[in-house]
Each structure stands twice: as C-alpha cells, then as structure tokens.
Amino acid sequence: YLRAYVLSLLAFSGMNTSKSETVKEHPLKPSRRSMPCLAQSQTHPQSLSKHSSFLQPNRVQPQPRPQPLSAGTSTATVDVVSERAKVMETLENNLLKLSNTEYSDSFLDIGKDKDTYTDESEHGNYDARTDQSLLIQNKLTRQKTEPRTKSSLKTDAMASSGLFFKDGKKRIDYILVYKKSSPQVEKRSTFEKNLRAEGLMLEREPAVTNSDIMFVKIHCPWETLCKYAERMNIRMPFRKKCYYTDWRSKTMGSLQRNMRELKSWLPRNPMKLDKEALPDLEETDCYTAPFSRARIHHFTINNKDSFFSNSTRSRIVHHMLQRTKYEDGKSKMGINRLLNNGTYEAAFPPHEGSHKSRHPIKTHGAQNHRHLLYERWARWGMWYKYQPLDLIRRYFGEKIGLYFAWLGWYTGMLIPAALVGLFVFLYGLFTMDSSQVSKEICEANETIMCPMCERNCTLQKLNESCIYAKVTHLFDNGGTVFFAIFMAIWATVFLEFWKRRRAVLTYDWDLIDWEDEEEELRPQFEAKYSQVERVNPITGKPEPFQPFPDKLSRLMVSVSGIFFMISLVLTAVFAVVVYRLVAMEQFASFKWYFIKKYWQFATSGTGVCINFMIIMSLNVVYEKVAYLLTDLEHPRTESEWENSFALKMFLFQFVNLNSSIFYIAFFLGRFAGRPGKYNKLFNRWRLEECHPSGCLIDLCLQMGVIMVLKQMWNNFMELGYPLLQNWWSRRKMKRGGQLMEHKISLPQWEKDWNLQPMNLHGLMDEYLEMVLQFGFTTIFVAAFPLAPLLALLNNIIEIRLDAYKFVTQWRRPMPARATDIGIWYGILEGIGVLAVITNAFVIAITSDYIPRFVYAYKYGPCTDQGYRQEKCLKGYVNSSLSVFDLSELGMGYSGYCRYRDYRAPPWSSTPYEFTLQFWHVLAARLAFIIVFEHLVFGIKSFIAYLIPDMPKDLCDRMRREKYLVQEMMYEAELEHLQKERKKNGKQYHHEWP
C-alpha cells in the first residue's frame, strides 16, 4: 500500500507538472495464485517477510525507492525531474510517519478521492467473484489495464452486485436488516457505535423494494480479522504437509504395483467428481496452527483478501456481534437479543453471488462458490455423484458439512442393506408358488372358516385367502431371520464406521483440538435467575444460577407433560382401533362387491390413512408443547435448549409414528378370544382378529403406507413450501410495481433478504427426519424387508433436495463449527438396541416362523428325519386351525368351521382348551427371543470391540504431525530471527540465539 501510495502521488504530481504528459500503462501480469504452502525442502518462504511488516507497527522497514516503470504497476512518465525529486523528499518523511502507525482502515482510505492504483498482490482483481483464485479458471491471458472511466464503471458494478461496499473494495462479511419505523433507535445506534469501536466498518443502504427496510453492511478489516482470529484460536495453514510414503512404494511388491497399473486402465468410477471440476482447497493439505499476530510470518499469506475464507470472516463477525453491548448492563449484549426485541429484523452472511450463470461452467468456469456448489452438488443431474464435502464445509461451515457427511455415509451404507432386503423379497417372490403353506391354503376348497364379525359376515372358504397367503410369503419366508440378524449387525457396523469416518473428517477439517467456546447464557435464563449468582468455574465471573430444587421441580413438570402427550398418542391409537372395529362391520355388508369381498383390506387401508392424518396433525401440537416444556425448564445455554428440545421432539414423534405399528405387531388378534366366546370392547364391538394368513400383511401395509406418505410430505415441506413462499414474495413485488419497470436487478443482500431464513432449530428437523427413518429401517425390518430400499431411494432424493434448499432457497446460515452430530448419535445407538428386541418379537410372535419350525420338527412328516424345508411342512395349515361347532353360534348354521388357534375340538374331553402344541409353540417363541437377543447383542458387542474408533494410520499421522508442527515452528522462528539479525548487520549462528 505504501508502494501504491508513492506511485499514485508520483502520477498525480506528474500530471500537475506537465499538461502535455500522456499516461503510459503497461499490461498487468495475470493474478496467479502461487503455491499455498511451501515445498518440503524449504523451511521458510522468502516472500513472507514482506507480509510480516503489516502487523509489526513498531518495526520500521527500510522502504526501497519506487521504480517508475516496474511491471504490474501503473506509472506516469514525468518530464520534469526536479519536481519528482521534491516529491520524493516529501514522501520519505511521510513514509516514516506511516510506518509507525498500525494498519487500519484510515490507511486504506489514503488517496480515496484520487486516482489511486494498487498493486495486484495486495488486492487482487475481484470483480463480482469471491476467492477467485480458488475457483475453476481457464488459461489466464494478459489484459491491458483500462482507462479510469472504465475502471470506475467496474467498481460501480462490483458495488451494485451486492458483495462489496460502494467503493468496490471492502467485502461485505455480514448483513443486518432493520425497519426504519422500529422504535429501538437508541439501542441500534449504540450497538453500531460499539461495533465501529471494535474495528468493524459499517455502511447503510436502503432497500430497493421496500422503503421501510434498511440494510447495514458490515466489513471486517484485516487488522480486526487478525485480532479476533487470534482470540478465537482459529487454525490457519502455514506449511505443506509432508507425507513420508516413499518407503512404501519401494517396499511394495510387484503384484501390488501391477494391480495399481491395471486399475489405472479400468474405467474410472462414475460416482467420483472430476478433479478439474472442483477447486483445490489448499488448506486441507497444509499443516495448521492457531493464528498469532506475533508469528504472522509463519503463515502462508499470498493474498490478504483470501487468507481468511468467507465463512471464517463471517464467523469472526458473528462472534463480535454476539459480544457487543447495546446498553449498560452485564446481559445487555448480543445480536440475538436485538433480534428477539425487534431492534433488527434479520442478521445473516451474504451469499457469494448468484447460483446461476449465463455461460456454461465447463467453458467459462464458476462465478463463485455458490455457483460451483449448485452445478456440482445441488443439481438433480448430480444425484449419482459423491458430495464435495470440503467445498460444503468451506461455504456452510463444519456443522452443516458434518450433517451432509453423515447423510451421505448413511445413504451409502443403505446400499448393502437394500440389496439384501431386495434379495429376501425376491426369494419370497420366486418361491411363492412353491411354498407348501400357500399351496395348502389355495387348494383348501372344502375348508370353511368361521365368520370374522358378528352380524354381517358370511362363511368363507379358506382358499379365498390365497392372495393374502402369497403376499404374506413375500415378507415371511426362510430369509426373514437371516435378514433381521443382518440388519442388527448392519446398524452396529454403520455406527462404528461412522465414528471412524467422523475421526477422519475432524482431522482433515482441523477439528481435533477444537473445543466449544464458552456459550453465553440465554436471555430468558438471565432474566429469571438474575437475583441468584455464583462464580462460573470456567470464566471465573459471577453469573445467574438456577437452584437445584427449582431445576428438579421444573424437570418433573416437564416429564409429566411428556407422559401426558404420550398418553394422548395412545388415545389416538385407541380411537383408530375403535374405527377399525366399527368399519369392519360396515365394510362386510357394503353394497360394492369388491369392498364387500376384501373388507379386511379396506378396513386396514382406511385405518392407515386416518392414522397418518392424525400423526401429522399431532406433530404440529407436539412441536408447540415441546417448545413450552423446554422453555419451562429454563435451560442455561442454547445448546442445552436444543438438546432438550430435540429429545422431546424425538420421543413425541417416535411414539406417534410407531404406536400403531406396535399395536398391529404385538396386540392385534392376540386377545380376540375364540368363536362362541369372543372378547368385546365395551361389550359392544368384537375385537379384531388376524386374517387366516396371519397379521404380518397388516403390519407390512401399515409400515409401507406411513413410510411412503411421510417421506412424500417431508419432501414437499422441505422444498415445495419454500419454493411457493419465494414465488409468492416475488409475485407480490412485481404486482406492486416495486422493481421500477422490471429493469433494476436487486443487489445480493436484498436477494438474500427475500429468501427464506433457515429453520429456527437449525439442523434439528433434518436430523429428526433421518433418525426416524433409521428407526423405520431397523426396528420392524423383519416384517418389511423393502424398508432399506425405500429409505435409500428417498435419501438419494433427500441429499439433492437439501442441497438445493441450502444453495438456492435459504439465506446463507452462519458457518458454525462442530465435531460430531451431537445428541443424535446416542439416539441412534438406542434405536439399534431397540431394533434387536423388536425384531426378535416380530419373528417370534407376529410371523409364523416359529409355529412352522415347531411343526416341522415335532409334528410334521419329518419328525424322525430332520428338517427338510417345504416337504416337512405338509399338513401345517390343517394343524394350525382348530375346529368349532357352528351350532353353538345360534345363527342357524350347522356343521363345523375352522379358526386360527391351537385348541381342542368340541368332541374332546376338554373342548376348546389349549393343546400341547400351543405350549410347545409358546416355549419355542420365548426361547427364540432369548437366544436371538443374546446372540445378536454378543455379535454387536464383538464387532464394536473389533472396530477401533479411529484408524491406526490416522493416529500415527496425528502424532507425527504434532511433532513436525513443533519442529517447523521452531525452524521458522529461528530462520526469521536470523534474517532479522542479518538485516541489522549483526552476527548470527546456526543455533537458537
């Protein structure tokens, strides 16, 4: 900047000296980004000493005289040499004064109103793009500098694009929005005054579409960025990583080398993104260390404008906004409180320009990271590609990056589960006609079944249930037990390998040594408990404190509210059960023949749809109740509030979604009684019993309908609803004629203001949806093996839906940091344990696997020969049906009918009592539950023990990196001090001075 100042004054003095002078401009060099990190052979970059002077106010570096025709700068040819000498003499005096002042914003404003030309290495050629050097670029060509008139037009274009201040140089790092009619003028002015005192630069600009809206643009200068980066311990790159893998290539066998060469000739993986399609995010390949102004010469600063990424700049500004006061008082600070009391309408970091471009990305490159994310991630055409996680993390922050990493990992792990489930389903499909049970049911032309309702049901033959029997075999076959065990092990492997994947991501993203900052207290907590204080053991400062009796009483009230809502869910399920009992009689006597014939299917189908509508209605109520209960607890910090709210929402929605499924799986038909002695609800409605083919078909129908409808509704609410809202807001602006002949393009900050804000709960809704889906995929998977396949198809769409929503429909969220997925991991582990128990009960109680198994070994034709699959099940259907005398019904029937149970016939000495086969089946069911649970839990624990949480090579790399970082910091500091001594003419040695 000193050099630019000198050159500009030379040009200015030359123009004043001679009117006939012409300005000669030389073409600028292309702004190539040099290697971000040093080569392995170097210990300290030669160029970093230039940057160290920016933050060394007490050091006066000798300034070389500017060369009038140096490359890359614009100079003027001066005719009068004596005038230049006078100017140089004046500049020498000014340079000493400037070198003793800190680098501040006032320094940037030198020559603000003059035709000042700055060096490329200082500012770079930023037009409407951000971090240009990190985006795809074609071959750079030398461009001639334009006259001042064109340069000013370019500056105006940059300012109007919404990424910079009006001067076209200061980048916008954050946006505040307020209404001019808001009465909180004093708080706002005090807050903004304090922001300026902290080192931020503010600029106001009214909205184009609404005269009452005012935007406050915030820019964080270099000095302020460095100061707060040091306070926040932000890790920045300073040296290229050294990978010592040469010895591996030398010792690698010839077979492995040949395999690697053969692999290079094979077709490339179509799911991988092209390396040329994404920028080289250099900091992932560099050693990092907490930023320090005293050791700034250690860090690789090729361009001050791009050294701190946009997300890092926004995070620093957000940190400052959270800790700036707006009134006198201990708790009168933070942008969150100002948003809550209406001082500001919104606060958000701006997007990096538009996500669309007139030119194709392959030929013209990406305009910005948002455009690149849209083209390489959010478009539907990229559904089969891997996600660019590093770019997502760079743009949205580590917290959102971890969510998409987890979602991608979960989706990838669903592929083997979906394939195995599809195989089990296809096995049932191909063996459906050859199944002995299906054959016997379809050929039972003379077997009369007892009526399944009181008044309107007629006697039916068993072969009328042929279709139900075949469909049941699709889900209840020999592969059911295997698939249940496989899914229990899959859930463990998924969670264990996710821990390893998370460890790799936290290492690559520099989150290993990162710890959460001490969170500020919630305003509601401070207002409630401001009278009671205690010293915070971390900060050492007094803060409001919630007494234990008060906390316990509020927790008990919250727990009581949770149980009340769960009882409300059970009441809703009971209402659906009553509907099924009433509808059963009505559909059995319906006028339409199709419904009258398949009245059970009609009853189950309508019951599922009504249950789904009740589920979605209660979800709205649950969210409001969860809000009230969580606020009643008065959590201390925002993270505690989020965890408490997330746990309540999960409990509510989990019970809401699965209560009806639990009823069908474990209670439907278990307490119906027997013909002649049926149990009735309120002594009026006969309890529903299972179909002659079993209750599993009802469970499959319930799961399939709820899962499909729930996913369709969620996808609409995630994408369709924001699209409609954004379309309606644009339509209102056009109808109001607010765009002035529709020719004025809105600046970026106003476009972002018209987008939808991110959910109030952050990623809670996204995680909740996926965790509930994980429960559907694992808990009752024995009854519905297609659940993993449906989840896989939904997640492929979900990833692109979320990506499209984040990139195009939502304002840019504040880039937050996180090291894991929070409370959701513990919930996933709990679901994995519950899945083992429920699948054991589904196989033992709901399906007919155990009764068939007992019959084949104990009562079938293969009793003495061992189990031989289908041949040994001959006669099973007749053995599973009991006999009842129709004359006992008093309905004018005579003869005998059959029903599903193990009871003695009416002509025996103990009619209608349980037979010995019933007790054998019951004992086998209980034994299976115990053996299955212990076996699967043992396998899960053994697998979890075998799989370490962190890969061994990652542990070695981390330990070696820690060692190398210490060595490099020592060497860099040593060389820096030696250069300082050499400059000052002092002797130096090769050891630490």
Side-chain angles (χ1 to χ4, degrees), residues 636-698:
R636 179 174 169 272
T637 61
E638 286 295 333
S639 62
E640 292 179 7
W641 190 95
E642 290 178 3
N643 289 338
S644 179
F645 180 73
L647 184 60
K648 290 181 181 63
M649 285 298 295
F650 169 75
L651 289 176
F652 290 160
Q653 294 207 18
F654 180 80
V655 175
N656 193 22
L657 282 174
N658 294 283
S659 54
S660 59
I661 299 176
F662 271 90
Y663 163 74
I664 293 175
F666 304 127
F667 297 99
L668 179 62
R670 311 298 170 194
F671 309 101
R674 62 174 180 82
K677 195 178 179 181
Y678 284 111
N679 297 322
K680 295 184 177 182
L681 183 64
F682 303 133
N683 293 323
R684 182 177 179 181
W685 294 299
R686 171 180 159 183
L687 293 181
E688 191 177 3
E689 58 181 317
C690 293
H691 197 270
S693 300
C695 292
L696 200 64
I697 186 65
D698 292 319

Side-chain angles (χ1 to χ4, degrees), residues 681-750:
L681 183 64
F682 303 133
N683 293 323
R684 182 177 179 181
W685 294 299
R686 171 180 159 183
L687 293 181
E688 191 177 3
E689 58 181 317
C690 293
H691 197 270
S693 300
C695 292
L696 200 64
I697 186 65
D698 292 319
L699 182 59
C700 294
L701 180 64
Q702 184 85 6
M703 287 190 61
V705 171
I706 290 181
M707 189 172 185
V708 172
L709 291 180
K710 183 74 164 54
Q711 291 177 349
M712 291 174 61
W713 175 259
N714 288 337
N715 291 337
F716 169 75
M717 292 302 295
E718 285 186 7
L719 183 62
Y721 187 64
L723 279 173
L724 290 176
Q725 284 183 316
N726 293 332
W727 170 81
W728 182 252
S729 62
R730 291 193 301 268
R731 188 170 181 268
K732 285 195 301 183
M733 287 190 299
K734 289 182 179 180
R735 289 177 64 183
Q738 294 172 328
L739 291 184
M740 292 176 294
E741 300 179 359
H742 309 287
K743 293 182 180 180
I744 298 179
S745 61
L746 296 178
Q748 187 60 47
W749 60 77
E750 194 155 353

Side-chain angles (χ1 to χ4, degrees), residues 557-595:
V557 173
S558 179
V559 171
S560 302
I562 293 174
F563 279 108
F564 172 76
M565 295 305 299
I566 291 177
S567 64
L568 184 61
V569 175
L570 300 180
T571 304
V573 173
F574 180 76
V576 175
V577 171
V578 173
Y579 163 79
R580 292 170 66 105
L581 299 181
V582 175
M584 181 175 60
E585 297 283 348
Q586 301 300 323
F587 284 133
S589 59
F590 210 76
K591 296 181 181 180
W592 295 350
Y593 173 76
F594 179 81
I595 295 180

